[in-house]
Amino acid sequence: GAVVSQHPSWVICKSGTSVKIECRSLDFQATTMFWYRQFPKQSLMLMATSNEGSKATYEQGVEKDKFLINHASLTLSTLTVTSAHPEDSSFYICSARVPQGDGYTFGSGTRLTVV
Amino acid sequence: QKEVEQNSGPLSVPEGAIASLNCTYSDRVSQSFFWYRQYSGKSPELIMSIYSNGDKEDGRFTAQLNKASQYVSLLIRDSQPSDSATYLCAVKGPSTTAGAGSYQLTFGKGTKLSVIP
């Protein structure tokens, strides 16, 4: 149980275009979704926290106009990387708190390459 | 700023040996502590969680927590080549941005473990 499905698994896009990443909670309702970014050989860095029906809160240094987060329903949160640049190339992962207990479940991640 | 520190490794152990992974954290109000395993190119998967001082055992894995020393460790007994991965220590505490009552995980950089057959 407590599965988060993330799509796409990988995407290559041209510089200046936008890319949307989706995370769906399949068997539970995720009122809060966390979005992380991981550069090679680095740890997961929290980018933002999205709450269903309200605006996301962004960590310091993360551009809210560049990384658009929408959490329109209890089962779907999306991250749109707008006007992507090569330095945005990274591994993006979503996460939600599991409904029972205190743990967190992660999506499978999206490898974004901007060329 | 909250910090979670881990030795980046690599840590190499022979098959069948005990692997010991360590983690320290800076925020004393941290409530919950997690160990995740991450294979290259994959997302993290939960290995263990621990909330109170002492040891917690689950199969070949034992997590140890010492809140006074702000220290968490993970022991892997009878290490197998399939255990070769990066192990991430994560600490749950109050969110720095999402407001009162919100919590977030802060991750260490991870320790790369190699189990040699």
Side-chain angles (χ1 to χ4, degrees):
Chain A
V3 175
V4 173
S5 176
Q6 183 171 349
H7 295 279
S9 299
W10 59 271
V11 58
I12 301 174
C13 70
K14 290 186 177 181
S15 186
T17 62
S18 296
V19 172
K20 179 184 283 188
I21 301 169
E22 289 190 354
C23 278
R24 294 181 183 273
S25 54
L26 298 185
D27 49 3
F28 69 103
Q29 293 181 331
T31 54
T32 301
M33 193 75 78
F34 302 90
W35 287 93
Y36 294 87
R37 179 168 53 183
Q38 186 178 33
F39 293 107
K41 300 188 178 182
Q42 298 292 317
S43 190
L44 279 73
M45 296 301 295
L46 181 65
M47 299 175 64
T49 303
S50 74
N51 293 293
E52 185 268 336
S54 63
K55 289 185 178 180
T57 55
Y58 291 80
E59 296 300 303
Q60 191 172 8
V62 178
E63 300 174 60
K64 60 180 66 176
D65 293 331
K66 181 171 183 62
F67 299 99
L68 302 179
I69 291 174
N70 184 285
H71 196 153
S73 78
L74 288 170
T75 59
L76 175 64
S77 178
T78 63
L79 167 67
T80 301
V81 183
T82 63
S83 186
H85 291 289
E87 56 265 32
D88 298 324
S89 298
S90 188
F91 192 48
Y92 293 85
I93 312 171
C94 60
S95 174
R97 182 176 170 179
V98 299
Q100 311 223 340
D102 197 32
Y104 294 78
T105 184
F106 287 81
S108 55
T110 298
R111 174 74 59 192
L112 170 64
T113 302
V114 184
V115 298
Chain B
Q1 184 172 349
K2 301 176 185 179
E3 293 182 349
V4 178
E5 299 286 344
Q6 293 181 256
N7 188 325
S8 61
L11 173 66
S12 295
V13 300
E15 183 175 355
I18 296 176
S20 178
L21 306 164
N22 304 315
C23 170
T24 59
Y25 60 95
S26 63
D27 192 351
R28 285 193 171 274
V29 301
S30 300
Q31 301 180 335
S32 311
F33 307 85
F34 305 88
W35 283 99
Y36 285 87
R37 177 174 62 197
Q38 186 177 28
Y39 293 110
S40 181
K42 304 294 185 182
S43 66
E45 53 180 325
L46 181 66
I47 299 296
M48 291 279 290
S49 58
I50 188 166
Y51 309 106
S52 54
N53 283 328
D55 296 358
K56 179 181 178 183
E57 186 174 320
D58 184 0
R60 296 187 294 114
F61 299 95
T62 299
Q64 299 173 318
L65 174 61
N66 184 325
K67 289 186 177 181
S69 300
Q70 295 174 241
Y71 174 87
V72 193
S73 67
L74 178 70
L75 299 177
I76 306 175
R77 289 181 299 281
D78 188 23
S79 296
Q80 301 297 308
S82 59
D83 294 328
S84 298
T86 296
Y87 288 80
L88 302 172
C89 173
V91 175
K92 177 183 175 182
S95 172
T96 54
T97 58
S102 299
Y103 295 87
Q104 67 183 61
L105 288 182
T106 300
F107 285 85
K109 289 187 176 181
T111 298
K112 186 173 182 178
L113 172 65
S114 293
V115 181
I116 312 301

